[in-house]
Structures are given as structure tokens and as C-alpha cells.
Amino acid sequence: MKQEFLKYQAQTTPHPLAMEISHADGSYIYDTNKKAYLDFVAGVSACPLGHNHPKLKAAIQTQLNKYLHVMVYGEYVQKPAVELTKLLAKHLPYPLEKTYLTNSGTEAIEGALKLAKRATGRSEIIAANKAYHGNTMGAMSVMGYEERKQAFRPLLPDIKFIEFNNEPDLNYITNKTACVILETIQGGAGFIVPSNNYLQKVRLKCNETGTLLILDEIQPGVGRTGKLFGFEHYNCIPDILVTGKGLGGGLPIGAFTASGELMDLLQDNPKLGHITTFGGHPLIAASALATLQEITESNLIPKTLEKEKLFRKLLKHQLIQDIRGKGLMLALMLPSAEIANELVLESQNQGLILFWLLFEPKAVRITPPLTISEEEIIKGCTIISNILDDILAKQQH
Ligand SMILES: Cc1ncc(COP(=O)(O)O)c(C=O)c1O
């Protein structure tokens, strides 16, 4: 099938990993040769409950037997979407109450940017260098990595970039700025956490200037950092929270949440300010609801921090210069891109799935399912250490 994959399915790089998947269960993915791979990536943070989770499957099957798509987003009352948005509100602080469900993270970012412009009547947007918010035109406009967007210009006008964690740059935020958009923890940049109360300082500056703060939690959200949402670590509540990825439990989703007052602006002036056919799809909402219920009702979130400790304890190696990130959103920092590549590729040979980060070639991501067991963590970390030992031994000869 690999030849047909390469011939008929559009690719994103000239060198996809091209593993042929048979099935997946728990923390393992199986290829068509019956080889098992321990999954330290979780579909790039999109499968917090691992694979084939019984509660998730049951929720999807129950909904499958009732109805699938019946109407475009927002017209009919569909229980899965109502219950999902209500449960989100229950777990979010004031004034985050009303959620718009989309089909992907990037689309939720588009909606959030539009809402900020509509609410403030301003056009300027401030984003961070090395930020990643998605790949549609608006989201790409706030991506802080010129090399990957140059070919697609012109993009949105009136966008300024600041350095994440740099306090003096906050002076760029003025009463002309519609919104500041930041990832709570910068993902593609190398899992950079906010330091020195950075997010609180951004919040204050936004308050002073009447600027809306959008936090993108598409990757850190839904329990991955040891809180349901990453911003809870930093004492900073956004005006618009964007989520996605793990929220769907493995099905495609995005969401942006704001106060009812703010969100209602999308209903009028102009009417239909943001519309979608499939957003809030009942099957996906049922999967997301079951995911959110499981994550908030189990001990998965507190366990995340214990698992982080275990990773940090086991991954002490001469070639690991730093482990960035928080909870089960960890990045191994290696001495070179070559070593990072070798680790990812050799791990796959040895039955462990690792992956790269978008803009930091020396980093290797570890974002396993939140359900991963201690034994599985030990097993995967042993594979990583052995591969790094071999790389080191080769270097020394
Ligand atoms: C922080 C962040 N924002 C936005 C996105 C885009 O989400 P999607 O791929 O669902 O469009 C991603 C996806 O990797 C992300 O990590």
C-alpha cells in the first residue's frame, strides 16, 4: 500500500515515516507486519486516552446509532454538543462560558481572530516569534516563522511579532491592538514555558489597552500539563481560549470559548459572523464529551505530573542537554538536528514512536497518551537511553 500512499495521497514532506497501520490499542500502534510500537507521541497530542479506549468507543457507538449530521452548526439542539460545551463551561473560570465548536484547531484560531476584530473594531494583531497556530491563511499569518510562510504571501496585514517571554516587547501592545495571540506553552518553538509571570504581565498590558488576549491551548490543553488547561498554572485567564487536538479524543475538533457577551457578537452585525457545516458534529462532540468526562473524573491529570517526574528521572543522559515542557508535553533537547533525527528514526526501528517539533530541529517530542503506564514509560525510556548510548559510542570511535 505504501506505493499507492505515495502516488495518490498528497504528502506534506518528501520523506513521510510511511508506517503501514493495522490497528491500535492502549499505548500501542501495530503495523501490517504485526510489529507493535509503543506510542510516545499520541497522534501529536491528539489522543490523550490512547487508542481504542472502551468508554470513547461506547460513546461513539451510542451516538452512531442515533444520528450523524442533521444540520449546519448552531441551528438545531443536539445533545452531544450542548453537553460538551456545558461541561467545558463547568471546568472553566469566569468569564469563559460559551464555546463555538469547529472542525480543527486552525479553524478555531480563525474564529478567535475574527471575534477579536469584531469585538474591538481594531485590526492590529500581535503574535509571537516561532508561534504555531495552524495552517489556514489567518492562522498562518500569526505563525512566527517566516521561512514556512514566505511562499504564501500576501497574508493578513497589520500583524506584529514579539518575542515570547520578553517583557520590554509588551510595549508593542497599544490601544490600536485588537488582540494578542499566544500559545500558553510554545509548541513548535520547542516547548517553551512562560517564565517570570510573563502571561500575567501580558494580561495586565491587555487590560490597560483594551486588547483581547487569546490563548492557544490546542496542544497543552485537556490535561496534558497537569492541569485541565495550561493557563491554570500561570494565573492568567484569557478573553478567548482556543482548544482542539486532544479534546476530540482522536476525532477532529477545534473550539474557541469566551464570555457569552463576547461570543454573541458573532450572531449579528454581520449575521452569520462565523459559520461551519460540520462544527459541533454529533459523533465528534460525543467523543469529545466522553474524553473530557474521563479526563476530569479520573486521576489522569494529577498522575500526569508524577509521570513527568518519572520521565525526567529516567531520561538523564550525556546527550540530553535539557528536557523542556511540562507534564506530558516534554521535549528532549539534543546536541544537533542529526542526533535528533537519528533518535526518532532508530526508535521507530526499535518499536518506539517519537517525533520532531516544527521549528526546533534539535528537539524530540514526548507527548504520550495520558493513560500511559509506568512500565510503558520505563520501557520507552530504556529504548531511548540505549539508542543514545549507541550514538555516543559511535561518536567516540
Ligand atoms: C498550538 C497549536 N495551535 C494550532 C494548531 C492547529 O490545529 P489543527 O492541526 O487541528 O488545525 C496546532 C496543531 O498542531 C497547535 O499545536
Side-chain angles (χ1 to χ4, degrees), residues 44 103-107 109 132-135 183 185 187-188 216-220 244-245 253-254 358 365:
V44 186
N103 308 282
S104 62
T106 196
E107 189 191 332
I109 294 287
Y132 182 72
H133 298 289
N135 246 246
E183 295 159 89
I185 295 177
D216 177 347
E217 293 249 359
I218 290 170
Q219 191 154 194
K245 277 193 186 275
I253 198 165
L358 273 174
R365 83 157 50 231

Side-chain angles (χ1 to χ4, degrees), residues 66-96:
K66 289 185 183 160
Y67 59 93
L68 291 177
H69 180 74
V70 287
M71 189 32 126
V72 293
Y73 178 79
E75 290 293 336
Y76 291 172
V77 182
Q78 302 180 45
K79 196 173 172 189
V82 176
E83 290 203 338
L84 171 62
T85 50
K86 185 176 162 198
L87 188 59
L88 270 169
K90 181 182 156 200
H91 288 287
L92 283 169
Y94 177 85
L96 298 171

Side-chain angles (χ1 to χ4, degrees), residues 236-308:
C236 164
I237 299 172
D239 298 291
I240 308 174
L241 170 70
V242 188
T243 53
K245 277 193 186 275
L247 179 64
L251 294 194
I253 198 165
F256 57 108
T257 306
S259 68
E261 195 188 357
L262 202 53
M263 196 61 96
D264 287 350
L265 294 173
L266 288 177
Q267 298 173 13
D268 216 355
N269 263 333
K271 253 186 172 175
L272 305 172
H274 189 71
I275 55 175
T276 160
T277 299
F278 288 121
H281 190 282
L283 200 69
I284 290 160
S287 172
L289 177 64
T291 303
L292 195 58
Q293 280 167 338
E294 180 63 10
I295 288 178
T296 53
E297 289 167 13
S298 68
N299 64 355
L300 281 173
I301 293 182
K303 282 268 177 204
T304 294
L305 293 176
E306 286 173 30
K307 290 173 187 176
E308 174 188 5

Side-chain angles (χ1 to χ4, degrees), residues 96 341 354:
L96 298 171
N341 268 338
L354 297 174

Side-chain angles (χ1 to χ4, degrees), residues 103-351:
N103 308 282
S104 62
T106 196
E107 189 191 332
I109 294 287
E110 301 289 333
L113 295 174
K114 285 168 68 182
L115 179 56
K117 285 189 165 186
R118 168 69 183 80
T120 59
R122 306 174 184 174
S123 62
E124 182 183 87
I125 297 172
I126 292 189
N129 288 330
K130 296 229 178 123
Y132 182 72
H133 298 289
N135 246 246
T136 47
M137 288 295 202
M140 187 174 259
S141 304
V142 290
M143 176 166 97
Y145 202 76
E146 191 54 33
E147 193 187 307
R148 302 258 171 97
K149 60 185 195 182
Q150 185 62 34
F152 307 105
R153 285 194 178 282
L155 295 167
L156 280 185
D158 222 359
I159 299 192
K160 289 194 176 129
F161 286 90
I162 58 175
E163 198 63 35
F164 192 79
N165 275 335
N166 177 310
E167 221 179 307
D169 275 9
L170 299 184
N171 289 325
Y172 287 108
I173 304 169
T174 68
N175 58 11
K176 290 200 171 65
T177 314
C179 62
V180 175
I181 178 165
L182 296 171
E183 295 159 89
T184 307
I185 295 177
Q186 280 205 309
F191 292 1
I192 313 288
V193 298
S195 56
N196 279 329
N197 298 324
Y198 177 67
L199 291 180
Q200 269 175 284
K201 290 169 189 162
V202 177
R203 175 73 273 176
L204 272 178
K205 193 71 186 175
C206 286
N207 291 351
E208 275 167 36
T209 55
T211 299
L212 296 180
L213 174 60
I214 303 175
L215 285 183
D216 177 347
E217 293 249 359
I218 290 170
Q219 191 154 194
V222 204
R224 184 154 292 282
T225 67
K227 299 262 188 201
L228 186 57
F229 293 102
F231 69 80
E232 296 170 49
H233 292 287
Y234 305 109
N235 219 349
C236 164
I237 299 172
D239 298 291
I240 308 174
L241 170 70
V242 188
T243 53
K245 277 193 186 275
L247 179 64
L251 294 194
I253 198 165
F256 57 108
T257 306
S259 68
E261 195 188 357
L262 202 53
M263 196 61 96
D264 287 350
L265 294 173
L266 288 177
Q267 298 173 13
D268 216 355
N269 263 333
K271 253 186 172 175
L272 305 172
H274 189 71
I275 55 175
T276 160
T277 299
F278 288 121
H281 190 282
L283 200 69
I284 290 160
S287 172
L289 177 64
T291 303
L292 195 58
Q293 280 167 338
E294 180 63 10
I295 288 178
T296 53
E297 289 167 13
S298 68
N299 64 355
L300 281 173
I301 293 182
K303 282 268 177 204
T304 294
L305 293 176
E306 286 173 30
K307 290 173 187 176
E308 174 188 5
K309 276 193 197 136
L310 184 58
F311 270 112
R312 288 187 181 275
K313 189 175 119 193
L314 295 170
L315 290 174
K316 292 203 165 75
H317 193 282
Q318 209 178 320
L319 288 180
I320 300 175
Q321 299 180 329
D322 192 10
I323 302 179
R324 293 196 193 145
K326 204 168 185 66
L328 291 178
M329 183 176 171
L330 299 173
L332 304 183
M333 300 306 301
L334 297 153
S336 66
E338 290 70 32
I339 293 178
N341 268 338
E342 194 171 343
L343 178 60
V344 172
L345 298 175
E346 184 51 29
S347 289
Q348 184 168 317
N349 286 338
Q350 298 194 22

